[in-house]
Amino acid sequence: MAITSANQLELLQTAEAVAREKMIDPKLVIEAMEESLARAAKSRYGAEMDIRVKIDRKTGRAAFTRVRTVVEDDAVENYQAELTVEQAKQYMADPKIGDMYVEEVPPVELGRIAAQSAKQVILQKVREAERDRQYEEFKDRAGTIINGIVKREEYGNVIVDVGAGEAILRRNEKIGREAYRPNDRIRCYIKDVRREPRGPQIFLSRTAPEFMAELFKMEVPEIYDGIIEIKAVARDPGSRAKIAVVSYDNSIDPVGACVGMRGSRVQAVVNELQGEKIDIIPWNQDMPTFLVNALQPAEVTKVVLDEDAERIEVVVPEEQLSLAIGRRGQNVRLASQLTGLDIDIMTEEEESKRRQAEFENRTKLFMDTLDLDEFFAQLLVAEGFTNLEEVAYVDQDELLVIEGVDEDTAGELQARARDYLEAQNKAALENARALGVEDSLVEFEGLTPQMIEALAKDGVKTLEDFATCADWELAGGWTTVNGERVKDEGILESFDVSLEEAQNMVMTARILLGWVDPADLEAEAEESEDGEAEEEAGA
C-alpha cells in the first residue's frame, strides 16, 4: 500500500475513529501510526538507519526523513545514523557535536507483511494508551464507592464491569456468604488501583471499614458537609460493627443524625451490608470516656488507662461481664479496634482480688528487704510506695507523713533501702561480667546494672551489639497478626523503658560508635520541623 494523496486523509479519519471508539487522544493514535510507518521504512532502507515519520495533522501527508547525528571522530559506531564533523561539512555549513542532519527520503510502499506489522504496532500503542487512560481515571477514585455489574465469578472471586474496565472483588472481600449472578448490580469500595503490565488492576471490597464510612457519607448529608465526622470504624463484616462519630455543631446530635428519622438512614446502610448490626457511638477525646461508650450496651464501673503500653483495664459488674465481652469476644474486639487499645475486662471481684494480691506482694517485698514488721510494711504500701527505689530516693518529707515515722526512722528506712539496692546492683554487675559483658556497655550512660544483666542474658554484650538493636526489641511493642494484636516482649520492658527512651539510647550508642553523624540528625530534625510548620500553615 503506497501512501498516496487519496488515502492521506484516510489516515486522519482512521485515527479519529479509533480515538473515539477507545476514548483516547487522537494524537496518541497518530503517533502510533508514525512509529509503525517508521518501522516499515527501516525494514525497506535498513534497520541501522534512523528513519522518522511525521504525519501532518491537517493534510494527513506523511513525511519520511533520515536523521544523522554529528559525533566525535572516535565515537562513530553506526555509520548509517552518525557522522563525523568532517563528513558533516559536506552537508552543513558549521557542524558541531550533537547537531543533526535531516534529509527527506522517498515514502515507502507497505507490503502485506509491513502493513500487518504496522497494524500490530498501532494496536499495541492503542492498548497501552487505553490502559493508561483507565489507570488515570481510576487512580484518583481509590477510596470511593463505585456501582458495577457482575460479569462472572471465578473461584469465588467476582469480576465486576465498572464501565471503563473490569474490577475484581476477591473472595475474602465479600460479606459472609454473598453470592452473585451475572448482570447483578453491585456496590463496592475501591480499595486499591495498581498499574500492572497487563493493565490497571482495580481491587474492590465490601468488608473494608471505609466502605461503611462512605455509605454513611452518602446517606447522612451532615457527614458529607463536614458538620459530623466519622472518627473510627470497626467491623465484623456481615455480623456487627461500631462507628464513632463527633459533631462540630453543638445543635446537632451526631448519633441521632446518623440514625435518621425512625432509623431510615442507618437502615439503608444495614440493608446494603446484608443486615450487619451497627452501633453508632459518640466519639470523645477522653479515651476512657470513649471506651465506656464503645463497650455499650455493657455498663462499666471503672477504667484504668496505661497510655505507654496502649492498654486499658475495664472493670464491670459480674452480671455485665458476658455482655461486655460479647458473643465469641465480638463486643470487646470491636471496641479494641475502635479505640486502638488493648482491652482487659475483669469483674469487680477479680479486680478486688488482684489489688489484694498486689498489696500483699508489696508488703512482703518491704518486709523481706527492709527487715520491717507486717504492720509497718503495710503502712508504706498504703501510702503509695510500690518499690525500693521510691523509698530510697524519695524526699524524706514524704516518709515523715506516715504515722509513727520520725526523722531517725525515715533515715534508717532510706539507708536500708539504698544498701539493699547497692548489693543488688553489685550482684547484677558481677553476673553480667561473668556472662562476658564488655566495659563499653557497662559505662554506657542510662543503663542500670540490672538492665545490663538482662541484656547480657539475651546476648547483647558490647556497645556494638546494643547499637544494632531496634527500639521495639528493647522496649517491646505490639504487632497485628491476622487481625489480632500480638505482644512482642522487650529485653528492657520490665524496667519500664518506653519506646522513645529506647530509641534515644540506641541512637546515642550509634553516635558514640561513629555510625551516625549528629549533624545529619540535626538537619533531619530541622527538615521535619519545617515540613510540620508548612503543613500547619497549609491547614
Side-chain angles (χ1 to χ4, degrees):
M1 171 183 94
I3 299 179
T4 62
S5 56
N7 59 21
Q8 283 174 356
L9 285 173
E10 194 179 323
L11 279 176
L12 296 179
Q13 290 167 357
T14 303
E16 289 285 349
V18 171
R20 271 198 307 273
E21 181 187 345
K22 302 294 184 182
M23 292 188 294
I24 59 176
D25 189 347
K27 186 173 79 170
L28 294 172
V29 182
I30 293 173
E31 286 174 1
M33 289 178 169
E34 289 173 343
E35 186 178 328
S36 64
L37 290 172
R39 186 174 293 188
K42 281 184 180 182
S43 67
R44 165 72 176 80
Y45 290 115
E48 298 83 9
M49 289 190 183
D50 184 2
I51 303 289
R52 302 180 189 181
V53 178
K54 189 75 175 171
I55 296 175
D56 191 291
R57 302 304 196 258
K58 292 181 180 177
T59 64
R61 179 181 177 274
F64 288 71
T65 54
R66 177 189 180 188
V67 179
R68 283 184 280 181
T69 307
V70 180
V71 297
E72 294 178 3
D73 292 353
D74 57 351
V76 177
E77 293 179 359
N78 182 356
Y79 289 96
Q80 298 287 2
E82 294 171 338
L83 291 166
T84 64
V85 175
E86 283 301 319
Q87 290 170 337
K89 286 179 180 177
Q90 302 174 42
Y91 313 104
M92 305 166 72
D94 184 22
K96 294 183 177 61
I97 304 297
D99 286 352
M100 291 183 178
Y101 173 61
V102 181
E103 59 181 331
E104 193 163 337
V105 295
V108 298
E109 289 190 8
L110 294 184
R112 184 174 60 82
I113 295 173
Q116 190 67 24
S117 173
K119 182 181 177 183
Q120 290 299 324
V121 171
I122 292 171
L123 288 174
Q124 180 63 26
K125 283 285 183 183
V126 168
R127 274 196 293 269
E128 287 174 5
E130 196 175 7
R131 288 169 182 168
D132 286 342
R133 181 190 59 75
Q134 285 179 1
Y135 177 75
E136 292 299 323
E137 180 181 338
F138 284 101
K139 72 170 184 179
D140 296 326
R141 294 179 67 182
T144 63
I145 286 178
I146 193 168
N147 292 309
I149 296 173
V150 174
K151 290 187 75 173
R152 64 188 180 278
E153 192 164 352
E154 298 175 352
Y155 307 107
N157 301 324
V158 179
I159 309 302
V160 182
D161 184 350
V162 289
E166 288 184 352
I168 183 169
L169 176 66
R170 293 187 185 278
R171 185 190 313 174
N172 61 334
E173 298 290 350
K174 293 193 293 185
I175 297 173
R177 291 176 294 278
E178 281 184 329
Y180 295 99
R181 289 174 297 183
N183 298 321
D184 281 354
R185 295 198 66 82
I186 187 171
R187 185 186 285 181
C188 298
Y189 175 78
I190 302 178
K191 192 172 184 179
D192 192 15
V193 181
R194 299 179 202 159
R195 191 197 290 270
E196 294 188 3
R198 57 184 176 177
Q201 296 294 299
I202 304 161
F203 296 96
L204 306 178
S205 176
R206 284 176 57 80
T207 61
E210 297 86 355
F211 182 44
M212 177 181 285
E214 289 297 315
L215 287 172
F216 269 103
K217 191 182 289 186
M218 293 169 68
E219 295 295 337
V220 184
E222 291 87 348
I223 295 176
Y224 184 82
D225 293 337
I227 300 168
I228 293 173
E229 183 185 352
I230 297 172
K231 299 294 284 188
V233 181
R235 289 182 67 192
D236 194 348
S239 177
R240 194 173 198 89
K242 290 179 184 284
I243 180 168
V245 291
V246 62
S247 173
Y248 296 112
D249 185 336
N250 293 333
S251 64
I252 294 176
D253 170 27
V255 176
C258 291
V259 171
M261 187 73 72
R262 295 178 184 171
S264 58
R265 291 175 173 177
V266 71
Q267 195 57 47
V269 178
V270 168
N271 292 341
E272 178 63 44
L273 299 176
Q274 306 294 319
E276 193 170 312
K277 294 181 179 65
I278 302 172
D279 296 334
I280 302 171
I281 294 157
W283 182 81
N284 197 298
Q285 197 167 3
D286 180 56
M287 191 55 72
T289 305
F290 178 36
L291 182 73
V292 170
N293 295 338
L295 280 171
Q296 291 176 357
E299 296 175 10
V300 176
T301 308
K302 184 178 176 184
V303 173
V304 180
L305 173 65
D306 183 351
E307 290 184 358
D308 290 336
E310 293 187 342
R311 291 179 72 82
I312 199 159
E313 291 180 356
V314 177
V315 181
V316 298
E318 183 74 41
E319 67 275 8
Q320 293 282 318
L321 181 62
S322 60
L323 192 60
I325 294 173
R327 184 162 53 93
R328 299 196 188 107
Q330 188 183 64
N331 195 53
V332 69
R333 186 171 66 251
L334 290 175
S336 179
Q337 290 174 21
L338 202 68
T339 57
L341 296 169
D342 206 46
I343 301 171
D344 287 336
I345 292 186
M346 63 184 74
T347 63
E348 292 170 336
E349 185 182 350
E350 287 171 339
E351 194 225 5
S352 176
K353 286 180 180 176
R354 195 197 66 177
R355 286 193 170 280
Q356 183 62 33
E358 282 180 0
F359 189 88
E360 289 172 0
N361 288 338
R362 288 170 184 168
T363 299
K364 190 174 186 306
L365 169 71
F366 291 141
M367 288 171 64
D368 294 345
T369 57
L370 301 179
D371 192 22
L372 301 176
D373 61 31
E374 186 177 11
F375 177 73
F376 205 101
Q378 286 175 346
L379 280 178
L380 278 176
V381 177
E383 283 297 327
F385 289 95
T386 59
N387 55 52
L388 289 175
E389 284 82 359
E390 290 178 1
V391 176
Y393 303 110
V394 77
D395 192 282
Q396 202 174 78
D397 291 342
E398 292 192 33
L399 289 168
L400 294 175
V401 299
I402 301 173
E403 189 178 344
V405 175
D406 55 21
E407 288 188 10
D408 290 340
T409 309
E412 176 63 23
L413 273 175
Q414 290 194 311
R416 288 184 188 181
R418 287 170 185 162
D419 288 346
Y420 187 86
L421 290 172
E422 284 172 12
Q424 272 195 323
N425 289 345
K426 185 179 178 183
L429 208 52
E430 286 174 358
N431 290 340
R433 290 199 182 277
L435 289 167
V437 166
E438 294 184 4
D439 289 343
S440 60
L441 192 62
V442 173
E443 293 164 5
F444 182 71
E445 192 174 342
L447 292 176
T448 66
Q450 283 85 359
M451 289 181 185
I452 295 167
E453 183 184 18
L455 288 167
K457 287 178 179 176
D458 210 81
V460 180
K461 300 177 182 179
T462 65
L463 192 61
E464 285 83 358
D465 294 340
F466 185 74
T468 58
C469 290
D471 48 13
W472 59 267
E473 286 182 286
L474 300 175
W478 293 85
T479 53
T480 302
V481 180
N482 298 326
E484 295 290 328
R485 282 167 63 81
V486 178
K487 184 74 179 73
D488 291 321
E489 296 294 339
I491 305 170
L492 304 180
E493 189 170 353
S494 59
F495 302 97
D496 291 331
V497 173
S498 70
L499 208 61
E500 187 178 358
E501 288 169 338
Q503 197 173 38
N504 289 338
M505 284 197 289
V506 169
M507 197 54 68
T508 303
R510 291 173 183 173
I511 291 170
L512 288 173
L513 290 166
W515 296 359
V516 176
D517 187 347
D520 293 341
L521 292 177
E522 288 175 13
E524 283 179 20
E526 287 175 9
E527 284 178 16
S528 177
E529 287 173 9
D530 292 342
E532 287 174 9
E534 286 175 12
E535 282 181 17
E536 288 175 9

